Amino acid sequence: MSLDIHAGELLAVVGENGAGKSSLMNVLYGLYHPDSGEVSVEGRPERFRSPRDAIDRGIGMVHQHFMLVPTLTVAENVVLGREPTRWGRLDMERAVREVADTCARFGFTLDPRARVDALTVGSQQKVEIVKALHRGARVLVLDEPTAVLTPQEADELARVMKDLVRAGRTVVLISHKLKEVLGVADRIAVMRRGRLVTEVRAADTTADQLAALMVGDAPRAATDEPAPVAQAPGEVLVEAKALHALGDNHCPALRGVDLTVRAGEVVGIAGVDGNGQRELAEVLTGLRRLTSGGGTLLGGPLARLTPAVARERGVGHVPEDRLRRAVVKALSVEENVALGRHTKPPFAKGPWIDFAGRRERTRELLAAYDVRPPEPTLVLQALSGGNQQKVVVARELDAKPRLLVVVQPTRGLDIGAVAQVHARLREARRQGTGVVLVSLDLEEVLALADRVYVLFEGRVTGEFTRPDYDERELGRRMLGAERAHG
Amino acid sequence: MGERARQALPSVLSVLLSLVVCWLLIALTRDADGFTTATAAYLQMLWGGIGDWPTFLGGSPVAVLTRPIGEAAMKAALLTLTGLSVAVAFKVGLFNIGAQGQMLLGALAAAVVGSHVELPALLHIPAALLGAALAGAAWAGIAAALRLYRGVHEVISTIMLNWVALRLVDNWLVVGPLRGVAQAGASITGTAEIHASAALPRLLGDVSRLNLGFPLAMLAAVAVWLWLERTRTGFETRAVGLGDEAARAAGIPVARRAGLAMALAGALAGSAGAVLVLGTEGRYPGTLGAPYGFDGIAISLIGNNHPLGVALAALFFGAIRAGGTRMQLLDVHKSFPELIQGLALLFVAGRLIWLSVLRRRRAPAPVLSAPTAPTPEAPHA
């Protein structure tokens, strides 16, 4: 494939998971080496042996997962690897001065002396951008930059990107969020299955056209999915009363949550990030201890639930932090498919691992969920993020859970994968699974849920039942407006 | 090249490189005939490790083979057991620096059971081995408990427990309460002689010290490998080592797996002590100087923390260390094999450098290249 990047433009590269966006950019950044073909910068063919070569030629990259040392300050992180020295000793005063200069030149408000782990995610991303600029980057590549940001931070980032282009820098934005791409990009390159499909001017296209180009001839509706078919809710699976729990920071995160989940319904948990949604999901899956309150979950007490007991009772879990909680990235795909069910057939025969059974079931699941490449022995971290998530969803649904707790199941996924995950969740609901869906994406919650609880500061501030979804009222509740509500 | 070979290659190359470096060191520190001497010294080391075949084929008795082989095998057995100890702890994500202390406790337990208990041989040997394994496991268990319940890092606690074990055993128990009773006026150091029923039987006659401990150590390597790779609990142990949060979320009892793996590590190191006492020493001597527990760290790393890799590394270094004494015939210091081992460890530590060098020489590494499109010839091991 060929792609030209013009100076001073904001180019967006869009495509589904595994379309090759990240691979392309890693070639550009010197992390991967092309089997054939070449990269030219300002007309001169280059052979980047490492990111250092790319940096020297003015290419900077901001990865989806930040490459920062959390315990160092902003200035220390920015100069890391090329620290200014005086008489062979680190000259921190000069580093701070230089970093402050760079920030001022591009209009960033960052304190060079602040420790990185004290910054918000949005600010950490700015540190990454400043780092690249400080090293003289004229072309800045941003890989899925908004995946980790709140909507406000994403707006802020869009402004930063436009400012950079105005200052004469070139920005390459890798994304699959079409709306956001249309809002900021000058030109959009669409990739599919390792090929450049087309390049369009942002002004001349629409989200629908782009979506069609990305997925190819098989149009998959992702944005306007049909509302779930009404079905009578079944038995009560979870009856939780006055749940209290502490967060990771040892402050109360849940402060009296009541919750009911029935078989065959999707219960959405809506709210602004950090209002107890994550902790609620952890309580329901046995990962977090209650400080008080309780109730029943799948026929047993909710208090003192452990992950093993939860799984035994039939709880499935698609956690938010995939690499930390859901998979062991250094194990193979098939070992990850077995994880959590490795003591049961077809994954085990008595105390032994059933290699043949595990291989066969893994192959079936990889095919059914369209995981690419469908290779059971591949180490999991060789899969792209979207394909990893498919593996997790496949594993959890294959266990036929009675209760499925999913947190941010489609974050960072492309349109096709989102549609697939949503379809699988609907299918689970239809078959009588109770689904608890925690998502920061209100559209996703409203599209799937039969009932929505709104959480604010660890309390339920509203409960809405389909079809009485009043988005403005929901938004008010998410910001803490409380009113007696049935 | 298969994935397994690719994993083993850095270790093999590191060992070869350290052999070359040491050969140069010997050659360049001689006044004259350096290269001839170095080569001759290496040959002596070889015959000292695998048996003196030239002399044997020249008509000497078979002892010129069995004696060196016995020395090499017993060193290999001890290195295998302590290497496995470190490797098992590694698999669950813990760094066991305490194999030395666990080995001392195991040696003492074997000496006590061997001398203070009277049983038929069929039961006495297993009892003494079991006692040693339990003592080693208990000693490692202290570090595991401190880690799991109090958050004390196991590197710190196992290092400190090594010293506690040394003082406790060598400086008090062995010279105090457990000191052997002198017979016929002759004063002895260390604990009482073990009963003949507890001694590990020799397998190649009396002239060779090769005993049951060697096959047991090899068996242990295979058993540990089978356990880690083929069983549910072994899988759980590896999963905990590679991602404890994900293992916890999957319902795996993380603390129990870590605790049991650490106890097994201690049991293996303790068994090394038993092989030393029941196989070659016959009692706990005045001081058990041999630092096989620390060698275990090097063996484990050179063996890539793989049980069979550990056994292979132990066989190799057991052989050259047994052969090292014969280097003295050429005025080369016998500690050169230890230098070779140390250098190999140093080179193995640069494992990532090896891998990147090897990757550059061949096509892009299959496992790490990002899957872009559906590749029909999907790469795998």
Side-chain angles (χ1 to χ4, degrees), chain A residues 236 238-243 257-261 267-269 280 284 296 302 436 451 453 460:
Chain A
V236 173
V238 180
E239 182 79 74
K241 290 270 179 254
L243 301 179
V257 171
D258 295 346
L259 171 96
T260 310
V261 184
V267 174
I269 309 291
L280 178 61
L284 293 177
T296 57
L302 185 54
V436 176
R451 218 145 44 79
Y453 290 98
V460 175

PDB file of all heavy atoms in Angstrom, chain A residues 236 238-243 257-261 267-269 280 284 296 302 436 451 453 460:
ATOM      1  N   VAL A 236     -35.629 -13.592  39.344  1.00  0.00           N
ATOM      2  CA  VAL A 236     -34.672 -12.630  39.871  1.00  0.00           C
ATOM      3  C   VAL A 236     -33.327 -13.321  40.080  1.00  0.00           C
ATOM      4  O   VAL A 236     -33.244 -14.349  40.742  1.00  0.00           O
ATOM      5  CB  VAL A 236     -35.176 -12.038  41.207  1.00  0.00           C
ATOM      6  CG1 VAL A 236     -34.108 -11.158  41.833  1.00  0.00           C
ATOM      7  CG2 VAL A 236     -36.453 -11.251  40.973  1.00  0.00           C
ATOM      8  N   VAL A 238     -30.292 -11.352  40.743  1.00  0.00           N
ATOM      9  CA  VAL A 238     -29.552 -10.580  41.741  1.00  0.00           C
ATOM     10  C   VAL A 238     -30.532  -9.677  42.466  1.00  0.00           C
ATOM     11  O   VAL A 238     -31.358  -9.007  41.830  1.00  0.00           O
ATOM     12  CB  VAL A 238     -28.459  -9.697  41.086  1.00  0.00           C
ATOM     13  CG1 VAL A 238     -27.709  -8.909  42.158  1.00  0.00           C
ATOM     14  CG2 VAL A 238     -27.504 -10.532  40.274  1.00  0.00           C
ATOM     15  N   GLU A 239     -30.466  -9.706  43.777  1.00  0.00           N
ATOM     16  CA  GLU A 239     -31.284  -8.816  44.591  1.00  0.00           C
ATOM     17  C   GLU A 239     -30.330  -8.210  45.600  1.00  0.00           C
ATOM     18  O   GLU A 239     -30.009  -8.840  46.609  1.00  0.00           O
ATOM     19  CB  GLU A 239     -32.383  -9.642  45.282  1.00  0.00           C
ATOM     20  CG  GLU A 239     -33.344  -8.845  46.127  1.00  0.00           C
ATOM     21  CD  GLU A 239     -34.393  -8.138  45.284  1.00  0.00           C
ATOM     22  OE1 GLU A 239     -35.295  -8.820  44.792  1.00  0.00           O
ATOM     23  OE2 GLU A 239     -34.288  -6.905  45.114  1.00  0.00           O
ATOM     24  N   ALA A 240     -29.794  -7.039  45.253  1.00  0.00           N
ATOM     25  CA  ALA A 240     -28.775  -6.440  46.116  1.00  0.00           C
ATOM     26  C   ALA A 240     -29.382  -5.308  46.916  1.00  0.00           C
ATOM     27  O   ALA A 240     -30.188  -4.522  46.405  1.00  0.00           O
ATOM     28  CB  ALA A 240     -27.610  -5.924  45.275  1.00  0.00           C
ATOM     29  N   LYS A 241     -28.977  -5.228  48.181  1.00  0.00           N
ATOM     30  CA  LYS A 241     -29.537  -4.204  49.072  1.00  0.00           C
ATOM     31  C   LYS A 241     -28.425  -3.413  49.736  1.00  0.00           C
ATOM     32  O   LYS A 241     -27.521  -3.993  50.342  1.00  0.00           O
ATOM     33  CB  LYS A 241     -30.385  -4.877  50.176  1.00  0.00           C
ATOM     34  CG  LYS A 241     -31.680  -5.495  49.679  1.00  0.00           C
ATOM     35  CD  LYS A 241     -32.816  -4.490  49.734  1.00  0.00           C
ATOM     36  CE  LYS A 241     -34.111  -5.098  49.224  1.00  0.00           C
ATOM     37  NZ  LYS A 241     -34.469  -4.600  47.877  1.00  0.00           N
ATOM     38  N   ALA A 242     -28.517  -2.103  49.618  1.00  0.00           N
ATOM     39  CA  ALA A 242     -27.643  -1.191  50.379  1.00  0.00           C
ATOM     40  C   ALA A 242     -26.169  -1.568  50.310  1.00  0.00           C
ATOM     41  O   ALA A 242     -25.496  -1.725  51.319  1.00  0.00           O
ATOM     42  CB  ALA A 242     -28.098  -1.125  51.842  1.00  0.00           C
ATOM     43  N   LEU A 243     -25.680  -1.763  49.082  1.00  0.00           N
ATOM     44  CA  LEU A 243     -24.276  -2.143  48.923  1.00  0.00           C
ATOM     45  C   LEU A 243     -23.351  -0.989  49.265  1.00  0.00           C
ATOM     46  O   LEU A 243     -23.532   0.130  48.768  1.00  0.00           O
ATOM     47  CB  LEU A 243     -24.004  -2.596  47.485  1.00  0.00           C
ATOM     48  CG  LEU A 243     -24.813  -3.781  46.967  1.00  0.00           C
ATOM     49  CD1 LEU A 243     -24.435  -4.072  45.524  1.00  0.00           C
ATOM     50  CD2 LEU A 243     -24.600  -4.998  47.834  1.00  0.00           C
ATOM     51  N   VAL A 257     -26.153   1.068  47.312  1.00  0.00           N
ATOM     52  CA  VAL A 257     -26.747   0.778  46.010  1.00  0.00           C
ATOM     53  C   VAL A 257     -27.729  -0.384  46.137  1.00  0.00           C
ATOM     54  O   VAL A 257     -27.395  -1.430  46.694  1.00  0.00           O
ATOM     55  CB  VAL A 257     -25.654   0.426  44.983  1.00  0.00           C
ATOM     56  CG1 VAL A 257     -26.275  -0.081  43.685  1.00  0.00           C
ATOM     57  CG2 VAL A 257     -24.765   1.631  44.724  1.00  0.00           C
ATOM     58  N   ASP A 258     -28.941  -0.178  45.676  1.00  0.00           N
ATOM     59  CA  ASP A 258     -29.913  -1.267  45.549  1.00  0.00           C
ATOM     60  C   ASP A 258     -30.007  -1.620  44.084  1.00  0.00           C
ATOM     61  O   ASP A 258     -29.997  -0.734  43.227  1.00  0.00           O
ATOM     62  CB  ASP A 258     -31.314  -0.825  46.024  1.00  0.00           C
ATOM     63  CG  ASP A 258     -31.328  -0.517  47.509  1.00  0.00           C
ATOM     64  OD1 ASP A 258     -30.359  -0.899  48.192  1.00  0.00           O
ATOM     65  OD2 ASP A 258     -32.301   0.111  47.960  1.00  0.00           O
ATOM     66  N   LEU A 259     -30.118  -2.917  43.799  1.00  0.00           N
ATOM     67  CA  LEU A 259     -30.056  -3.331  42.401  1.00  0.00           C
ATOM     68  C   LEU A 259     -30.772  -4.660  42.241  1.00  0.00           C
ATOM     69  O   LEU A 259     -30.631  -5.554  43.076  1.00  0.00           O
ATOM     70  CB  LEU A 259     -28.581  -3.465  42.009  1.00  0.00           C
ATOM     71  CG  LEU A 259     -28.209  -4.076  40.671  1.00  0.00           C
ATOM     72  CD1 LEU A 259     -27.988  -2.950  39.669  1.00  0.00           C
ATOM     73  CD2 LEU A 259     -26.915  -4.871  40.799  1.00  0.00           C
ATOM     74  N   THR A 260     -31.555  -4.763  41.179  1.00  0.00           N
ATOM     75  CA  THR A 260     -32.198  -6.032  40.862  1.00  0.00           C
ATOM     76  C   THR A 260     -31.869  -6.398  39.429  1.00  0.00           C
ATOM     77  O   THR A 260     -31.918  -5.544  38.551  1.00  0.00           O
ATOM     78  CB  THR A 260     -33.742  -5.922  40.997  1.00  0.00           C
ATOM     79  OG1 THR A 260     -34.034  -5.350  42.264  1.00  0.00           O
ATOM     80  CG2 THR A 260     -34.386  -7.277  40.882  1.00  0.00           C
ATOM     81  N   VAL A 261     -31.509  -7.636  39.214  1.00  0.00           N
ATOM     82  CA  VAL A 261     -31.279  -8.114  37.852  1.00  0.00           C
ATOM     83  C   VAL A 261     -32.093  -9.384  37.663  1.00  0.00           C
ATOM     84  O   VAL A 261     -32.033 -10.287  38.496  1.00  0.00           O
ATOM     85  CB  VAL A 261     -29.786  -8.411  37.587  1.00  0.00           C
ATOM     86  CG1 VAL A 261     -29.580  -8.816  36.131  1.00  0.00           C
ATOM     87  CG2 VAL A 261     -28.918  -7.209  37.934  1.00  0.00           C
ATOM     88  N   VAL A 267     -29.456  -4.959  32.071  1.00  0.00           N
ATOM     89  CA  VAL A 267     -29.522  -3.838  32.993  1.00  0.00           C
ATOM     90  C   VAL A 267     -28.320  -2.948  32.736  1.00  0.00           C
ATOM     91  O   VAL A 267     -27.175  -3.382  32.878  1.00  0.00           O
ATOM     92  CB  VAL A 267     -29.516  -4.330  34.456  1.00  0.00           C
ATOM     93  CG1 VAL A 267     -29.440  -3.150  35.405  1.00  0.00           C
ATOM     94  CG2 VAL A 267     -30.758  -5.164  34.728  1.00  0.00           C
ATOM     95  N   GLY A 268     -28.589  -1.729  32.305  1.00  0.00           N
ATOM     96  CA  GLY A 268     -27.493  -0.808  32.027  1.00  0.00           C
ATOM     97  C   GLY A 268     -27.125  -0.016  33.267  1.00  0.00           C
ATOM     98  O   GLY A 268     -27.994   0.333  34.063  1.00  0.00           O
ATOM     99  N   ILE A 269     -25.840   0.221  33.448  1.00  0.00           N
ATOM    100  CA  ILE A 269     -25.375   1.094  34.533  1.00  0.00           C
ATOM    101  C   ILE A 269     -24.742   2.296  33.857  1.00  0.00           C
ATOM    102  O   ILE A 269     -23.701   2.183  33.220  1.00  0.00           O
ATOM    103  CB  ILE A 269     -24.331   0.397  35.424  1.00  0.00           C
ATOM    104  CG1 ILE A 269     -24.813  -0.971  35.894  1.00  0.00           C
ATOM    105  CG2 ILE A 269     -23.954   1.296  36.590  1.00  0.00           C
ATOM    106  CD1 ILE A 269     -25.947  -0.946  36.882  1.00  0.00           C
ATOM    107  N   LEU A 280     -19.027  -1.481  41.449  1.00  0.00           N
ATOM    108  CA  LEU A 280     -20.249  -2.292  41.461  1.00  0.00           C
ATOM    109  C   LEU A 280     -20.028  -3.583  40.676  1.00  0.00           C
ATOM    110  O   LEU A 280     -20.384  -4.676  41.133  1.00  0.00           O
ATOM    111  CB  LEU A 280     -21.410  -1.492  40.862  1.00  0.00           C
ATOM    112  CG  LEU A 280     -22.743  -2.240  40.764  1.00  0.00           C
ATOM    113  CD1 LEU A 280     -23.219  -2.662  42.140  1.00  0.00           C
ATOM    114  CD2 LEU A 280     -23.801  -1.359  40.082  1.00  0.00           C
ATOM    115  N   LEU A 284     -20.133  -7.552  42.090  1.00  0.00           N
ATOM    116  CA  LEU A 284     -20.993  -8.606  41.536  1.00  0.00           C
ATOM    117  C   LEU A 284     -20.188  -9.804  41.051  1.00  0.00           C
ATOM    118  O   LEU A 284     -20.721 -10.902  40.895  1.00  0.00           O
ATOM    119  CB  LEU A 284     -21.819  -8.055  40.358  1.00  0.00           C
ATOM    120  CG  LEU A 284     -22.862  -6.998  40.732  1.00  0.00           C
ATOM    121  CD1 LEU A 284     -23.546  -6.479  39.482  1.00  0.00           C
ATOM    122  CD2 LEU A 284     -23.883  -7.560  41.700  1.00  0.00           C
ATOM    123  N   THR A 296     -28.767 -11.320  47.645  1.00  0.00           N
ATOM    124  CA  THR A 296     -28.499 -12.627  47.041  1.00  0.00           C
ATOM    125  C   THR A 296     -28.048 -12.456  45.586  1.00  0.00           C
ATOM    126  O   THR A 296     -28.404 -11.486  44.915  1.00  0.00           O
ATOM    127  CB  THR A 296     -29.756 -13.515  47.051  1.00  0.00           C
ATOM    128  OG1 THR A 296     -30.802 -12.828  46.362  1.00  0.00           O
ATOM    129  CG2 THR A 296     -30.199 -13.825  48.465  1.00  0.00           C
ATOM    130  N   LEU A 302     -24.557 -12.569  48.646  1.00  0.00           N
ATOM    131  CA  LEU A 302     -23.672 -11.683  47.887  1.00  0.00           C
ATOM    132  C   LEU A 302     -22.463 -11.281  48.729  1.00  0.00           C
ATOM    133  O   LEU A 302     -21.389 -11.012  48.205  1.00  0.00           O
ATOM    134  CB  LEU A 302     -24.472 -10.439  47.455  1.00  0.00           C
ATOM    135  CG  LEU A 302     -23.788  -9.421  46.546  1.00  0.00           C
ATOM    136  CD1 LEU A 302     -23.229 -10.075  45.310  1.00  0.00           C
ATOM    137  CD2 LEU A 302     -24.793  -8.348  46.145  1.00  0.00           C
ATOM    138  N   VAL A 436     -25.560  -7.420  33.027  1.00  0.00           N
ATOM    139  CA  VAL A 436     -25.315  -6.107  33.617  1.00  0.00           C
ATOM    140  C   VAL A 436     -24.289  -5.423  32.732  1.00  0.00           C
ATOM    141  O   VAL A 436     -23.172  -5.903  32.582  1.00  0.00           O
ATOM    142  CB  VAL A 436     -24.778  -6.230  35.062  1.00  0.00           C
ATOM    143  CG1 VAL A 436     -24.439  -4.854  35.612  1.00  0.00           C
ATOM    144  CG2 VAL A 436     -25.803  -6.929  35.945  1.00  0.00           C
ATOM    145  N   ARG A 451     -33.398  -1.759  31.172  1.00  0.00           N
ATOM    146  CA  ARG A 451     -33.553  -0.915  32.346  1.00  0.00           C
ATOM    147  C   ARG A 451     -32.197  -0.263  32.596  1.00  0.00           C
ATOM    148  O   ARG A 451     -31.164  -0.868  32.316  1.00  0.00           O
ATOM    149  CB  ARG A 451     -33.922  -1.784  33.547  1.00  0.00           C
ATOM    150  CG  ARG A 451     -34.915  -1.203  34.504  1.00  0.00           C
ATOM    151  CD  ARG A 451     -35.832  -2.306  35.070  1.00  0.00           C
ATOM    152  NE  ARG A 451     -35.078  -3.495  35.442  1.00  0.00           N
ATOM    153  CZ  ARG A 451     -34.373  -3.602  36.573  1.00  0.00           C
ATOM    154  NH1 ARG A 451     -34.318  -2.594  37.423  1.00  0.00           N
ATOM    155  NH2 ARG A 451     -33.732  -4.717  36.846  1.00  0.00           N
ATOM    156  N   TYR A 453     -29.869   1.925  35.439  1.00  0.00           N
ATOM    157  CA  TYR A 453     -29.620   2.607  36.712  1.00  0.00           C
ATOM    158  C   TYR A 453     -28.582   3.686  36.453  1.00  0.00           C
ATOM    159  O   TYR A 453     -27.594   3.437  35.769  1.00  0.00           O
ATOM    160  CB  TYR A 453     -29.029   1.648  37.740  1.00  0.00           C
ATOM    161  CG  TYR A 453     -29.964   0.587  38.258  1.00  0.00           C
ATOM    162  CD1 TYR A 453     -29.950  -0.701  37.737  1.00  0.00           C
ATOM    163  CD2 TYR A 453     -30.850   0.877  39.301  1.00  0.00           C
ATOM    164  CE1 TYR A 453     -30.787  -1.687  38.228  1.00  0.00           C
ATOM    165  CE2 TYR A 453     -31.693  -0.107  39.807  1.00  0.00           C
ATOM    166  CZ  TYR A 453     -31.655  -1.385  39.263  1.00  0.00           C
ATOM    167  OH  TYR A 453     -32.485  -2.348  39.751  1.00  0.00           O
ATOM    168  N   VAL A 460     -27.480   5.289  43.556  1.00  0.00           N
ATOM    169  CA  VAL A 460     -28.370   5.266  42.405  1.00  0.00           C
ATOM    170  C   VAL A 460     -29.189   6.543  42.426  1.00  0.00           C
ATOM    171  O   VAL A 460     -29.937   6.797  43.367  1.00  0.00           O
ATOM    172  CB  VAL A 460     -29.302   4.034  42.449  1.00  0.00           C
ATOM    173  CG1 VAL A 460     -30.303   4.103  41.305  1.00  0.00           C
ATOM    174  CG2 VAL A 460     -28.490   2.763  42.373  1.00  0.00           C
TER     175      VAL A 460
END
